[in-house]
Amino acid sequence: MKELIAKGAQLIAESKKILVFTGAGLSTESGIPDFRSPGGIWDRYDPSDFYYQKIVSDQRAREKYWKMSSEYWEVMRDAKPNSAHLAIKKLEDMGKLLAIVTQNIDNLHQKAGNSPEKIIEIHGTAFAVTCLNCGKTYERGDIEQRIHNGEKDPRCDDCSGILKPATISFGQAMPQDKMALAFEYASQCDLCIVLGSSLVVYPAASVPEHAVSQGARVMIINLTPTPLDNQADLVIHDSVSKALDQMVNLVSKISRR
Ligand SMILES: [Zn+2]
């Protein structure tokens, strides 16, 4: 393990434009359960109830969606960045961070102190709510307060349109502008660090694939194997927070020499 950490630190030390790609494995280490894991949300709710078309067209599906979503929101609202999030902030402080492309919706990169313009949330954010009709944006906490006060299917103040957390649901189109930006950064980076993603959800997983195809080096830290492991310069199957924190601290030492 020590050798792998040293190799990772060397890769970071040699890089100037790092693209960090993060997934659910990073959030679970901050106590946010993975939807897909056993005992997760999808063991208690049926994901087919939450397809975008159903949320849009069926009030009862919407009420159910808000019930599930509110339960999950409280965990995310209170979650704190772990040492991996803080290590990514250190990469920005070192002037090495090109951007973070994240599949997570939990605002933890912002909480860790990374610049908002460096964070590309390709699956949206749970911290905002948007009106599907007029596009008005609300703070999530304000809408949750209304739900807490008894509203089951909250509507837009301005146009009475349907409100939905600003996350990308099943069957909902990916944000084209953010995906384009993610691919642009994947073309530019000299190192892509994949953290806590099994790289099985598309089109998100095509971002690190694009970085590899454009000649970037790749480091993957994830508990389980990924389809990109055989093309990576370094693979560590372990806790992200433990490995990345040690690695980034070692980079500071290498740089000081
Ligand atoms: Zn509206």
Side-chain angles (χ1 to χ4, degrees):
M1 185 67 182
K2 214 176 165 187
E3 279 170 30
L4 296 177
I5 298 286
K7 187 174 177 199
Q10 194 61 41
L11 281 173
I12 292 172
E14 288 166 6
S15 305
K16 292 190 173 76
K17 290 182 287 184
I18 299 175
L19 176 67
V20 174
F21 181 88
T22 62
L26 192 59
S27 301
T28 52
E29 294 189 33
S30 281
I32 296 172
D34 185 352
F35 272 40
R36 291 179 177 77
S37 63
I41 291 267
W42 297 148
D43 273 5
R44 286 177 291 130
Y45 293 92
D46 180 357
S48 71
D49 279 342
F50 303 120
Y51 274 80
Y52 185 67
Q53 280 312 319
K54 206 161 177 184
I55 293 168
V56 172
S57 61
D58 179 346
Q59 186 188 335
R60 287 187 57 191
R62 242 173 0 254
E63 291 177 4
K64 222 173 183 181
Y65 173 72
W66 275 111
K67 190 168 175 287
M68 174 278 288
S69 187
S70 298
E71 184 185 321
Y72 201 62
W73 156 250
E74 288 182 12
V75 179
M76 278 192 282
R77 180 197 58 199
D78 300 336
K80 294 193 170 54
N82 60 55
S83 63
H85 294 100
L86 300 175
I88 300 168
K89 168 67 165 73
K90 285 182 201 164
L91 291 178
E92 183 173 345
D93 295 341
M94 291 174 186
K96 288 180 177 289
L97 183 70
L98 184 62
I100 301 166
V101 172
T102 184
Q103 300 173 278
N104 301 332
I105 56 172
D106 51 33
N107 212 38
L108 285 175
H109 292 300
Q110 286 90 340
K111 283 184 187 169
N114 281 108
S115 309
E117 67 271 17
K118 288 206 182 269
I119 306 165
I120 304 162
E121 296 167 306
I122 53 176
H123 290 165
T125 174
F127 281 64
V129 172
T130 45
C131 170
L132 298 181
N133 182 48
C134 75
K136 182 172 178 177
T137 301
Y138 297 79
E139 293 227 2
R140 180 67 182 267
D142 294 344
I143 301 301
E144 288 296 333
Q145 189 57 48
R146 283 165 57 174
I147 290 170
H148 184 75
N149 293 343
E151 285 185 48
K152 289 193 167 124
D153 177 24
R155 294 301 185 112
C156 179
D157 292 334
D158 287 355
C159 75
S160 301
I162 292 168
L163 295 184
K164 184 187 164 297
T167 53
I168 305 299
S169 297
F170 296 118
Q172 188 173 5
M174 296 290 284
Q176 288 311 313
D177 50 342
K178 289 181 186 173
M179 284 307 285
L181 201 56
F183 280 109
E184 174 68 29
Y185 286 132
S187 309
Q188 291 173 13
C189 70
D190 52 11
L191 173 65
C192 177
I193 305 180
V194 175
L195 301 172
S197 175
S198 300
L199 301 178
V200 290
V201 176
Y202 281 87
S206 53
V207 173
E209 284 176 3
H210 187 67
V212 176
S213 74
Q214 296 297 302
R217 290 164 139 184
V218 177
M219 181 199 310
I220 298 171
I221 310 177
N222 193 51
L223 281 178
T224 54
T226 83
L228 208 59
D229 282 7
N230 59 0
Q231 291 182 66
D233 296 86
L234 176 63
V235 178
I236 298 179
H237 291 150
D238 202 342
S239 145
V240 182
S241 54
K242 205 170 73 186
L244 190 71
D245 184 50
Q246 290 179 35
M247 205 179 277
V248 172
N249 286 333
L250 196 56
V251 175
S252 318
K253 283 177 200 158
I254 295 173
S255 315
R256 269 202 297 273
R257 262 178 222 151

Short mmCIF file of all heavy atoms in Angstrom, two decimals, residues 131 134 156 159, ligand 1:
data_model
loop_
_atom_site.label_atom_id
_atom_site.label_comp_id
_atom_site.label_asym_id
_atom_site.label_seq_id
_atom_site.Cartn_x
_atom_site.Cartn_y
_atom_site.Cartn_z
N CYS A 131 -38.42 24.91 -10.87
CA CYS A 131 -39.76 24.80 -11.45
C CYS A 131 -39.60 24.26 -12.86
O CYS A 131 -38.85 24.81 -13.66
CB CYS A 131 -40.44 26.16 -11.46
SG CYS A 131 -41.97 26.14 -12.42
N CYS A 134 -41.27 27.22 -15.43
CA CYS A 134 -40.65 28.53 -15.71
C CYS A 134 -39.17 28.57 -15.38
O CYS A 134 -38.49 29.55 -15.69
CB CYS A 134 -41.39 29.64 -14.94
SG CYS A 134 -41.03 29.68 -13.17
N CYS A 156 -44.75 25.95 -7.80
CA CYS A 156 -44.03 27.21 -7.98
C CYS A 156 -44.89 28.40 -7.54
O CYS A 156 -46.08 28.48 -7.87
CB CYS A 156 -43.65 27.35 -9.45
SG CYS A 156 -42.79 28.87 -9.85
N CYS A 159 -45.77 30.48 -11.00
CA CYS A 159 -46.58 29.96 -12.12
C CYS A 159 -47.33 28.68 -11.77
O CYS A 159 -47.96 28.09 -12.65
CB CYS A 159 -45.67 29.72 -13.33
SG CYS A 159 -44.63 28.25 -13.17
ZN ZN B 1 -42.62 28.43 -12.16
#
